[in-house]
Amino acid sequence: MYRLAICDDEKSSAAEATGLLDRYKRAHPGLEISSETFYSSFDLLEAIEKGTYDIYLLDIYIDKVNGIELAEAIRKRDENGHIIFMTSSNAFYKEAFRIHAVHYLEKPILEEEFFDAMDRGCQKEEKRYLTVRESGEVSKIAADDILYIESEDHYKRIVTVQKSYLVRSTVKELQEDIALEYFHALGMKTILNLKKVLRINRDTITMEDGAQFPVPRGTYRQLSELVLKFTF
C-alpha cells in the first residue's frame, strides 16, 4: 500500500491531480494507493507529525510557504518519501535538484508525464552494491552512495557521500560492475552518478560535494537531458 499526499491550495488543481491519480490507479490495478488532499502546507505538516507518506504531490506556489520550503520541512521529518512538484513555472528546477525530487511536472499536467512520475514514485529499486578491495581490506559500497569515480594512473578513486576508496581497476570494469544506466562515463577517466549532479552548464558539471568536471565539447545538450532524465 502506497500512501500519497496531494497539497495544493487551488481546489481545481488539486481535483485535477486527483483525477489523474484515479486514472493511474485504474491503469495499474495491482497497485494499492490511498491518498489524502491538503489545501494548505500547514495542514500537511501537521498530518506528517502523525505519519509520513510514500509520495508527496506538491504545488510550488502554495499559501505563505512555497513548495520548496514545504519540501525542505518534509525532508526534516521524512528522508525517504518521494516528492513530485506540480507547477506552472520552471523557475525552481535547481532547488528541486537539491531536494532530490523524483519529478517536476509543469501545468497543465499531461497524463503521460504524470504516469511517468508515479511510476518513479512507486518503483522499489533493488539496492546494488560494488565490492572493492583497498589495501587488503574488502568493502561493500552502495552504488547510490557513489558520487563519482576518477582515474589516478592505474588506480581509480571512488568518491562516496561518506568517504573515498582507492582501488586498482579500470573505468570500464567499474562501470560494468555497477551496471546502472545513470552512471555516465565522462571521457575515458571519469564516471559520474547523474543522480548526484547539483547543477550543469555549458562549461562544467558540479556534483553534490562541490567537485566540478568540464563538459566535453559538443556534449552539453545530451548531458543536460540525461541529468534531467535521472534527476526528475
Side-chain angles (χ1 to χ4, degrees), residues 31-213:
L31 283 178
E32 292 185 51
I33 303 173
S34 66
S35 65
E36 292 182 67
T37 301
F38 301 89
Y39 300 109
S40 84
S41 56
F42 302 105
D43 288 344
L44 173 56
L45 290 174
E46 188 176 79
I48 65 175
E49 291 291 346
K50 301 171 185 176
T52 58
Y53 295 83
D54 299 296
I55 302 169
Y56 300 85
L57 288 171
L58 308 179
D59 184 34
I60 287 283
Y61 297 104
I62 183 169
D63 51 57
K64 294 181 180 179
V65 178
N66 70 43
I68 298 296
E69 294 170 327
L70 175 57
E72 289 173 337
I74 290 170
R75 278 287 175 254
K76 291 178 181 177
R77 298 167 171 81
D78 180 8
E79 295 182 356
N80 299 315
H82 295 296
I83 293 173
I84 299 169
F85 287 114
M86 306 178 293
T87 180
S88 55
S89 167
N90 64 4
F92 292 91
Y93 270 129
K94 288 184 179 179
E95 287 84 351
F97 268 159
R98 179 171 50 80
I99 295 166
H100 302 299
V102 299
H103 218 306
Y104 191 102
L105 299 171
E106 291 188 38
K107 299 177 181 178
I109 299 170
L110 300 176
E111 180 179 290
E112 180 181 355
E113 293 183 357
F114 182 87
F115 279 29
D116 181 43
M118 287 298 299
D119 284 345
R120 297 188 195 189
C122 294
Q123 185 178 16
K124 293 184 177 178
E125 296 181 0
E126 182 181 347
K127 258 197 168 183
R128 190 180 293 275
Y129 291 89
L130 187 64
T131 302
V132 301
R133 183 186 297 273
E134 181 188 37
S135 301
E137 182 177 297
V138 176
S139 300
K140 189 177 178 183
I141 308 170
D144 282 343
D145 286 344
I146 298 172
L147 297 171
Y148 49 88
I149 299 170
E150 287 188 283
S151 182
E152 295 184 11
D153 295 325
H154 297 298
Y155 291 83
K156 301 297 169 283
R157 176 75 61 184
I158 302 172
V159 179
T160 73
V161 176
Q162 295 84 17
K163 60 179 289 188
S164 68
Y165 305 81
L166 189 63
V167 302
R168 191 175 181 89
S169 186
T170 67
V171 166
K172 183 180 179 181
E173 286 171 346
L174 289 172
Q175 193 164 30
E176 288 176 352
D177 287 344
I178 295 170
L180 292 168
E181 59 179 337
Y182 49 87
F183 278 81
H184 179 78
L186 196 68
M188 302 293 291
K189 296 185 175 182
T190 307
I191 300 173
L192 303 182
N193 181 349
L194 297 182
K195 288 188 174 184
K196 301 294 186 181
V197 172
L198 182 63
R199 58 182 173 272
I200 179 172
N201 58 41
R202 292 189 178 277
D203 299 314
T204 58
I205 297 176
T206 303
M207 306 304 290
E208 289 183 357
D209 66 345
Q212 293 188 326
F213 299 91

